[in-house]
Amino acid sequence: MRVVFDIGGSVLVPDEPDIDFIKKIAYQLTKISEDHEVAVVVGGGKVAREYIKAAKTFTPNETFKDYIGIHITRANAMLLIAALGEKAYPFVVQDFRKAWEVMQVKKIPIMGGTHPGHTTDAVAALLAEYLQADLLVVITNVDGVYDSDPRKNPNARKLAKITTQKLVEIAMQGESKAGGSGVVDALAAKFIERGKIKTIIVGKEDAIRLFDVIKGIHNGTLVVP
Ligand code: UTP
């Protein structure tokens, strides 16, 4: 099986890098890569948000701030490369075709951001589409997709299985505010729909059992075309 993992920056670097979590993730990715092809995309987390906030003082240029965000995602990617050691390609991969090439030599390609204007969720969805992955696993700070924002609505229900169209609908609702109720951004949801990508969205607890997750055993949300 070919699997793309999308590791949210807020999971990897909540306040500061979660070393214990990075160790666990690296161990699992290494083990999974013995039987499967693995590619990874890493997000920016709190550090990216803080740099972007600081940059607002100096410039209104959104694209410029996106470039700052991309740099931070790549620093996080370097951290995961360090944790994976020999198993990872030693440079942060910046192109989907390069990711494919790296997989051919049995190394794990690690990507951060690519271009301004979207988040690493969109990068992961495009990578999964480009690689024709069998599965995209999104690890985020919410433990699945809810019918409304669980942080605002105590009656919000987690959805065990939804279609890619439903994911787009839900992601569009959360779009008005960054990181709103949508666990993935709307653009990523559209790419998942377009690429007909089977996706599993899980939280940090499931993330330390990725062996089970890729077999379909998890408490998150399965998204099917
Ligand atoms: P993230 O993918 O981490 O954004 O990229 P996010 O979803 O807001 O954060 P977490 O990690 O899930 O908490 C951080 C920022 O980097 C820029 C954007 O500004 C984004 O908000 N970025 C990232 C890009 O412009 N292009 C990319 O391909 C990736």
Side-chain angles (χ1 to χ4, degrees):
M1 193 157 63
R2 183 173 282 181
V3 191
V4 172
F5 292 92
D6 173 17
I7 309 178
S10 44
V11 179
L12 210 67
V13 187
D15 275 308
E16 51 189 57
D18 185 339
I19 292 169
D20 187 48
F21 180 73
I22 295 171
K23 267 188 202 161
K24 284 181 182 151
I25 282 279
Y27 172 76
Q28 293 182 85
L29 293 175
T30 304
K31 284 284 170 199
I32 290 171
S33 71
E34 286 169 10
D35 299 317
H36 304 280
E37 289 179 305
V38 170
V40 183
V41 180
V42 170
K46 194 180 174 195
V47 183
R49 279 194 298 276
E50 286 189 345
Y51 268 75
I52 289 169
K53 197 170 124 201
K56 274 188 189 141
T57 320
F58 307 114
T59 175
N61 186 335
E62 291 294 329
T63 308
F64 185 93
K65 284 177 265 179
D66 281 345
Y67 277 119
I68 296 181
I70 291 169
H71 276 282
I72 305 294
T73 63
R74 289 180 179 163
N76 290 343
M78 286 294 288
L79 211 51
L80 187 59
I81 288 172
L84 281 163
E86 289 280 299
K87 201 62 221 169
Y89 185 70
F91 297 94
V92 178
V93 171
Q94 302 185 8
D95 181 276
F96 301 128
R97 292 162 298 183
K98 183 70 188 177
W100 178 84
E101 200 176 84
V102 167
M103 283 199 321
Q104 304 314 302
V105 295
K106 310 284 175 219
K107 296 278 182 196
I108 302 177
I110 315 285
M111 297 187 72
T114 52
H115 299 93
H118 52 69
T119 69
T120 47
D121 288 343
V123 174
L126 285 174
L127 178 64
E129 184 184 45
Y130 182 76
L131 296 176
Q132 295 285 283
D134 300 290
L135 180 64
L136 168 65
V137 177
V138 179
I139 302 166
T140 175
N141 57 2
V142 190
D143 62 354
V145 180
Y146 284 75
D147 58 359
S148 61
D149 189 342
R151 286 165 294 192
K152 288 184 202 140
N153 178 5
N155 298 320
R157 275 184 321 119
K158 189 162 47 173
L159 306 166
K161 187 177 175 184
I162 56 172
T163 61
T164 50
Q165 282 119 304
K166 183 76 185 168
L167 181 69
V168 172
E169 265 173 48
I170 292 171
M172 299 281 270
Q173 286 165 19
E175 184 59 351
S176 54
K177 212 163 151 227
S181 65
V183 275
V184 295
D185 74 70
L187 193 58
K190 290 212 161 150
F191 290 144
I192 288 170
E193 187 189 31
R194 177 181 91 167
K196 300 184 175 51
I197 303 160
K198 181 180 165 188
T199 304
I200 296 174
I201 300 172
V202 293
K204 205 163 180 170
E205 281 193 11
D206 274 323
I208 54 175
R209 291 187 294 267
L210 289 179
F211 300 105
D212 289 338
V213 172
I214 63 168
K215 285 188 217 141
I217 306 161
H218 57 84
N219 294 311
T221 300
L222 170 66
V223 186
V224 287

